[in-house]
Each structure stands twice: as structure tokens, then as C-alpha cells.
Amino acid sequence: MAVKEVLEKLKTIDFKDLNIEDSTSILKDLKVNDSNINLKVVVSPGLREEVKKRIENAIKQTNPNLNPVIEFIDEAPKKNPFEQPVFSKRSIKGVKRIIPIASGKGGVGKSTVATNIAIALAKLGFKVGLLDADIYGPSIPTMLGTKGARLTANVFNKIIPIEKYGVKMISMGFLLPSEDTPVIWRGPILMQALNQFLFDVDWGELDYLILDLPPGTGDVQLSLAQNTAIDGAIVVTTPQDVALVDVKKAVSMFREVNIPILGVVENMAYFVCPETDKEYKIFGESKVPQFIQAYNLKLLGSIPIEPDLTKYADEGMPIVEAMPESRTAKAFIGIAKIINSIYAT
Ligand SMILES: Nc1ncnc2c1ncn2[C@@H]1O[C@H](COP(=O)(O)OP(=O)(O)OP(=O)(O)O)[C@@H](O)[C@H]1O
Ligand SMILES: [Mg+2]
């Protein structure tokens, strides 16, 4: 018997009393092999026995030697239109923890905090990577004095990161012909570049991969949060209200996508007078304590305004490397220790 004949026969079966208008609508697969007829059928479990009886009868009626074998399969669950899409998050082979450094507002010191935390973790003996995810405005090469470096690939076609101060780093800056070349890529290509920086790099074994994010809560942050297995984010803010308004958005974004927030770094928290060693809160009383309490967050550390920071940064030397005994460097090392203690427990 041919498939067509079987189909014609099936069409004649009346299932209307079972609320099945068209008998072939429940058919998912049909194979005919000599006298063997294999059918896959989708109906709710309560109707299966009756449907089976009617199909077998119809086929046996045409030829008693035919052997119908019916397999019932479960209906795919109905999609809930309000359901959030489920993203499978990718991890990076060999990389234990991926930690983005974010802020709502630009210029609060993300890159400064990211580079100094990375070096501080390396000084504590960890294997550390630093990814400059600020594709449009990469600042890692300047801050770490690796500006002229160019990326190459290994025999497996993986990008080899640039290494300095014990930290492996990747930045868009290593691909641009010069510092003032603008990156004119749009969304999808930008994300592709970032994905390559995450997944097509020969990171080797890393305890921590620190991501220096661009400012704000845009596509890069969201897509990263949805696609990459991130362990916990750090948010950077300055003490004033204006920065806090924006950092609250960053906190909400991470919470929305279920990424834990390791804590807050308060940057430019106070100024230490070099002559008197006295602390001055030049932005006024900090709003950070109220903020972390209201949002149930942990303060990882407060970094002072460091007059030498910009000078050394421009020379490619983060403060933790340039002045390891300074109050600022010690504050960064303290933060690195807290990060590690979060994961050690
Ligand atoms: N604690 C500090 N003391 C003194 N200067 C600082 C401190 N933190 C950051 N800066 C300076 O502030 C400027 C902005 O810092 P940085 O580039 O780290 O911010 P950012 O948040 O990464 O900025 P963007 O949003 O543009 O990426 C830099 O010139 C940096 O050297
Ligand atoms: Mg930056």
C-alpha cells in the first residue's frame, strides 16, 4: 500500500465527536514499508485509546494483513506570549570568573577601577585578564602603556592577548591604526567584535576576567548580560547625586537580567591633603551609604581623588603599579581582597 492510499483512508475516519475536525491534522509522520504502517500522532492522552482503535480499524478494513503501529507524541507546550526569551549563556573555557565593571554615567572612573583591580588581583597571585569592552572609546591601551601593541593570532586562529603588569588584555585599541581613528561599526558588528574578544581569545587559564564596560545601560551591556555567563558585576559611582541617579539604572539593569552585583566602588570619594594628611570631602557628604542601604548592596571600597593618578595613567602606569604603597593603591588592593573573599566563601 502506498502512502497516498493510506492518507486517503485516514481522511475518511470521522473524529468529529472527539473534537478533531480534520483527521490528518493529528498526523505528524507516516511511513509505509510493505505491510508495516508507522504513524506518529498528536492527541491528548485521554483520546489516545479511541483514536488508536479507529485508525487500526480503518486500515485493517482495507487490508487485514496490514500492520499499523501508532506512536503518540506529546503536543508542544503552548508558548506564553509574555514569557521572556531564555538565553543560553556562554562561558569561556578556562576562565573561572567573568566580572564586568559598570556605571550608569560616563567618566566616573570605570576604566581606572577596572585596570587597578585587575593589577591588584594579579599582585595577589591570581591569573587575570582585562577586556576593554568599550569598543568606541577604548582607554585600556593608554592606561596600561600598551598603545602601539597589535593583536596576532595563534595557529588555532585564537587572538593572543597583550600582556603587561601580569595582566592579559584585549582592546579595540589594538586593532585601530591610530588613537584618533573612530570606530564606525553599528550594533551587530560591534557585538560580533565583542563576542570575538570574549570567546576567540587564547585567554589560557584565568581566575578572573575583568570587563571594562562602556558607560550606560545600552545594547552592549544588555547583550553581554544576556549572552555571557557573568559571575557578578561591580558598579562604580562618584559620591554625588548626579552619578547615583545613573548608577541606579545600572543596578536595575543587572537585577532585571539576574546578574548578582558584587558591590559598589565609590570613586573620587575624598581628597587627602598631601601636607596635612587630612581628608576633605570636596563633593560634600557622600550619598553612597544611603544608596547602598536602600538597594541592599555592599560597599567594596572608597577610592580617594588621587592627583598623581592621571599623571601616571597617561604614562601607562596604573596607580597600583606606580605607587603601591599609596593610600589609593591600598584601597584598590583592599577591593581585590574583598572580591576574592566573596568567592572564597
Ligand atoms: N580616583 C581618581 N582620582 C583622580 N583622577 C581620577 C580618579 N579616577 C579617575 N580619574 C580620572 O578621571 C578620568 C575618567 O576616568 P576613567 O576613564 O577611568 O572613567 P570611565 O568611567 O572609564 O570613563 P568613560 O565613561 O569615558 O569610559 C580620567 O582622566 C582618570 O584618570
Ligand atoms: Mg572607560
Side-chain angles (χ1 to χ4, degrees):
M1 205 176 182
V3 171
K4 208 171 146 213
E5 285 172 81
V6 179
L7 264 180
E8 288 307 316
K9 188 69 204 171
L10 291 173
K11 271 187 199 161
T12 64
I13 309 174
D14 187 359
F15 288 128
K16 289 202 174 65
D17 57 322
L18 305 179
N19 254 338
I20 301 165
E21 279 301 314
D22 170 8
S23 60
T24 55
S25 68
I26 57 171
L27 200 63
K28 287 297 156 209
D29 195 26
L30 172 65
K31 282 197 182 77
V32 181
N33 200 345
D34 295 331
S35 58
N36 289 324
I37 299 173
N38 291 76
L39 305 108
K40 282 190 182 156
V41 174
V42 181
V43 283
S44 56
L47 302 177
R48 287 179 184 178
E49 207 175 322
E50 187 55 37
V51 167
K52 185 169 186 254
K53 212 158 68 189
R54 290 187 201 182
I55 293 176
E56 281 174 347
N57 281 345
I59 292 173
K60 294 266 180 196
Q61 250 175 32
T62 41
N63 183 346
N65 294 326
L66 293 175
N67 176 32
V69 179
I70 302 171
E71 187 193 335
F72 287 103
I73 51 180
D74 290 323
E75 220 169 334
K78 290 233 168 22
K79 256 204 137 69
N80 172 1
F82 300 108
E83 206 170 45
Q84 292 285 324
V86 178
F87 297 94
S88 59
K89 297 187 179 184
R90 267 178 93 181
S91 45
I92 308 174
K93 209 172 151 266
V95 177
K96 283 200 195 125
R97 312 230 173 260
I98 304 176
I99 299 178
I101 312 282
S103 75
K105 203 168 137 45
V108 295
K110 283 176 302 302
S111 303
T112 302
V113 169
T115 49
N116 281 289
I117 287 179
I119 296 175
L121 283 165
K123 282 191 185 295
L124 294 176
F126 296 102
K127 299 192 193 80
V128 186
L130 177 62
L131 196 166
D132 188 351
D134 198 342
I135 306 271
Y136 287 125
S139 50
I140 295 294
T142 310
M143 287 190 173
L144 284 149
T146 47
K147 233 159 50 180
R150 284 289 166 268
L151 295 175
T152 52
N154 67 14
V155 286
F156 303 108
N157 235 354
K158 291 267 180 190
I159 306 166
I160 304 169
I162 307 293
E163 208 165 330
K164 190 136 182 212
Y165 308 129
V167 173
K168 290 178 180 173
M169 67 194 92
I170 286 286
S171 169
M172 190 62 206
F174 301 140
L175 292 176
L176 299 172
S178 77
E179 216 178 344
D180 39 17
T181 311
V183 177
I184 50 169
W185 297 343
R186 298 254 170 238
I189 297 182
L190 188 93
M191 289 318 305
Q192 221 171 308
L194 191 57
N195 273 336
Q196 280 203 302
F197 281 178
L198 284 161
F199 302 106
D200 296 341
V201 169
D202 180 15
W203 290 112
E205 299 281 319
L206 291 185
D207 296 303
Y208 293 101
L209 176 61
I210 306 292
L211 311 184
D212 177 19
L213 295 187
T217 49
D219 282 355
V220 170
Q221 288 80 350
L222 204 60
S223 158
L224 194 78
Q226 287 169 334
N227 301 322
T228 312
I230 286 167
D231 290 275
I234 292 174
V235 289
V236 182
T237 184
T238 51
Q240 321 92 303
D241 259 341
V242 273
L244 282 168
V245 170
D246 290 302
V247 87
K248 284 170 189 168
K249 288 184 200 154
V251 170
S252 303
M253 182 199 71
F254 285 119
R255 291 199 163 150
E256 193 104 344
V257 291
N258 292 324
I259 289 176
I261 294 166
L262 300 184
V264 179
V265 172
E266 182 188 21
N267 191 26
M268 310 193 210
Y270 54 90
F271 175 73
V272 184
C273 173
E275 276 83 41
T276 61
D277 211 34
K278 202 168 171 290
E279 279 181 27
Y280 291 93
K281 296 193 167 151
I282 56 174
F283 292 128
E285 207 49 49
S286 172
K287 303 287 194 315
V288 172
Q290 279 155 273
F291 157 67
I292 58 163
Q293 205 186 7
Y295 281 75
N296 197 18
L297 294 164
K298 189 183 167 86
L299 182 66
L300 299 175
S302 296
I303 309 294
I305 297 168
E306 173 62 65
D308 291 330
L309 193 141
T310 312
K311 185 185 104 200
Y312 283 117
D314 290 347
E315 288 170 17
M317 270 191 128
I319 205 80
V320 171
E321 187 64 35
M323 299 165 69
E325 292 308 315
S326 66
R327 212 162 149 158
T328 311
K330 283 181 178 158
F332 280 121
I333 289 167
I335 294 170
K337 283 182 180 163
I338 295 179
I339 294 170
N340 196 48
S341 72
I342 293 174
Y343 288 117
T345 53

